[in-house]
Each structure stands twice: as structure tokens, then as C-alpha cells.
Amino acid sequence: MGKIAFVFPGQGAQAVGMGKDIFDALPQCRAVFEKGDEVLGFPLSTLIFEGPEGDLKQTVNTQPALLTTSTAYLTALHDLGIKPDYVAGHSLGEYSALVAAGVLSYEDAVSLVRLRGRFMEEAVPGGGGAMAAVLGAEREALAELCRSVSETSGPVELANVNCPGQIVVSGSQDGVNGVVSRVKEAGGKRAIPLEVSGPFHSSLMKEAADRLAEELKKVTFHAPAVPVVVNVTAAPVTNPEEIRELLVRQVYSPVLWQDSVEWLIANGVDTFVEIGSGSVLTGLIRKIDKSVKLININSLESAQTAL
């Protein structure tokens, strides 16, 4: 029998109203949202369910909102007795994966991602950085173009290797603009600037990573119940101290999502369960390998009929 991986979405998957159905229907899921409000000291759940969207899209709010929603749906799945063989998450989603694996408590994770969001927003103040999704380029050719542009226009680097033909670049505004204007040189079809509040997963995030490192030292990391395939190495990690160190590096390193999914498939995973708002990861995984089974847990109905 094939193996199951639970995967968790990152920023961009948020939507006003996410998780409201399980909040209303399942007391154990409502308790997750209420715990988030209590830990953070403000009504996060009201922001998630009612918006306004502009506030929910602020990184400092988006990160705890998505973690909380994913954890609530995860709680519903737990009660069905469904357990994964591996877990993984895309960027912020890695924290949801660590909660799923028992490495971090939800309380510690939601506090950490609130701070992570703040540090990331503050690292490069308004307009100092940018990101763009490049479609159709080969990874090596795009990395070479980034190196070339960085020499003349300012730093720009690969940030998210999402799936064949979709790579996000991140860095200074001028650096990203340079890649966007020269994207054909890397075999790219086009580049789409992204609406983000900073140059995430680039070397410009080093200050945010250093600040996060101090906060991570204060938190207890437990040995994972199942291996966590992490963004930085696209390989499983089971040592709690190594996980802590990799979360620091993750802030300024590329998210190797395609490599992570390929590793999981090569190691027997044939079913991916995306847990949380939207279906971004399901779409990416389908582009990586059409043969695997994909399940979305993003509503009360999907949680109750899972697997």
C-alpha cells in the first residue's frame, strides 16, 4: 500500500471566511481558533472570518491565520484516525507541518509565525523588495540570469521552486525588474510581479532570520512523530535541533517545493492530502506528477468524507 503525505499551504492561500464551517460545526476545531485568539491577545478568528481582506493579507496576520485554519482542519482529520507517513509545508506551511508532526505545540507555532510575519515585513520596509513568478524557464538558466542581473541591478535570487515551469524570484525591486524584463534570456515565457510585502526567501531576509533565531531559542522542539520533509533541503529531518536551525535558514533560502514532492513520491508516497485554505499545493503537485492521488481538506464536507 502507498504512503500518505499531509501537506500545508503557505501565504497566498488565505481567504476571508476560511475555516468558518468547521468553527461552527465542530467544538474541537472551534477550540483551535479560540486558543489562537487567547495566545495572540486579539480576535484573530474575527479577522479570518469577517476580514477586511486588506488586513488579512498583511503578512503579520496572514501567517497566524493560515496556521490556525490548517491546524483546525488537521484536528478534524485526527478525529477520523487518519495519520500521515510524512508531512511537509510550503514556506509558512512548514510550521503547520511541524504542529502536525508534534514538533511544535500550536500555541508556540502561532506565536512564532506572528513574529516571523512581523520580522519579515520589517526587514525590508515598504517598496524595498519584490517578487515575481517566472513561467516556462529552466531552473539553471534562471539562476544564471539572476546572477547576471544581481551584478548590475541589485540582488535577485530563486525563492520558490514550485513545479516544472513555475519558479518565483525574489530580491531588490531593481533586481526583480531586471529579471522580469530579461526573462526570455532564461527561456521564460513571461514573469508576473507578485503582490507581496517583501522579498521573501531571499538574502535580504537575513535580518528577519536573525531575529527569528532568537525567538526560536525560547521554544521547545520535540522529536517528530513522523518525518518532516523541509523546504531548505527537500529531505526528511527528524532531529529537533536541526529542524530549529533549518527554520532560521528557511527565511532567506529558496523553498524547494518541487524537489520535496519528488522526494516524497520517490519514497513511496502516492497520496497527498492538502490541509487548509484553498488548493494551491494540489495544483502544483498535479504539475509535478499527474499519477498521484490528491485530496483537499478545505471544508467541513471534505474533512468528514476524507479518504
Side-chain angles (χ1 to χ4, degrees):
M1 184 177 157
K3 296 175 181 174
I4 296 173
F6 284 3
V7 296
F8 299 88
Q11 246 173 283
Q14 70 275 2
V16 172
M18 61 185 181
K20 183 72 164 69
D21 53 355
I22 54 167
F23 176 92
D24 290 340
L26 302 173
Q28 68 273 32
C29 299
R30 182 180 310 126
V32 175
F33 288 99
E34 289 171 347
K35 178 60 74 176
D37 294 351
E38 180 190 324
V39 169
L40 297 180
F42 80 101
L44 175 69
S45 58
T46 304
L47 177 60
I48 294 171
F49 301 146
E50 299 173 16
E53 187 182 1
D55 291 354
L56 184 61
K57 280 170 76 170
Q58 289 174 5
T59 297
V60 69
N61 295 324
T62 306
Q63 297 202 13
L66 282 168
L67 174 93
T68 300
T69 304
S70 285
T71 303
Y73 281 117
L74 177 71
T75 302
L77 270 193
H78 272 168
D79 293 350
L80 295 173
I82 300 159
K83 292 190 168 65
D85 297 285
Y86 297 100
V87 295
H90 191 286
S91 187
L92 159 77
E94 193 155 282
Y95 286 81
S96 305
L98 292 172
V99 172
V103 176
L104 289 173
S105 69
Y106 163 72
E107 291 86 341
D108 282 341
V110 80
S111 298
L112 282 170
V113 300
R114 174 82 169 167
L115 289 168
R116 180 179 182 266
R118 199 179 93 214
F119 298 158
M120 289 166 77
E121 281 189 336
E122 290 173 355
V124 182
M131 299 178 78
V134 176
L135 305 181
E138 290 294 329
R139 188 187 309 193
E140 285 312 313
L142 186 57
E144 185 53 48
L145 177 60
C146 286
R147 282 190 286 273
S148 170
V149 171
S150 294
E151 287 172 11
T152 57
S153 304
V156 58
E157 299 146 30
L158 303 190
N160 302 344
V161 181
N162 283 334
C163 66
Q166 189 196 111
I167 300 172
V168 175
V169 298
S170 178
S172 65
Q173 185 73 60
D174 288 348
V176 171
N177 289 346
V179 168
V180 169
S181 66
R182 293 171 56 186
V183 72
K184 298 273 198 297
E185 292 175 34
K189 294 185 179 69
R190 60 194 177 112
I192 304 159
L194 300 179
E195 270 189 66
V196 290
S197 55
F200 304 148
H201 300 290
S202 77
S203 55
L204 297 177
M205 285 286 125
K206 192 73 174 63
E207 182 197 320
D210 292 342
R211 293 174 73 188
L212 182 65
E214 293 305 309
E215 300 300 329
L216 289 167
K217 286 176 189 169
K218 303 172 186 174
V219 172
T220 302
F221 280 63
H222 304 278
V226 296
V228 183
V229 176
V230 299
N231 292 172
V232 173
T233 61
V237 184
T238 54
N239 179 309
E241 290 312 309
E242 194 179 347
I243 292 171
R244 192 195 308 260
E245 180 200 334
L246 287 164
L247 283 179
V248 177
R249 286 173 54 193
Q250 190 225 42
V251 175
Y252 61 86
S253 301
V255 173
L256 301 178
W257 185 250
Q258 179 181 336
D259 308 57
S260 299
V261 171
E262 287 171 348
W263 187 94
L264 287 162
I265 293 168
N267 285 274
V269 171
D270 64 2
T271 303
F272 287 83
V273 184
E274 181 176 0
I275 301 170
S277 177
S279 56
V280 172
L281 298 184
T282 303
L284 296 179
I285 295 166
R286 189 175 288 119
K287 288 175 180 158
I288 295 166
D289 189 328
K290 288 187 174 63
S291 70
V292 296
K293 184 178 182 186
L294 299 167
I295 297 167
N296 264 104
I297 307 298
N298 57 10
S299 67
L300 175 64
E301 184 185 5
S302 61
Q304 290 176 329
T305 59
L307 306 180

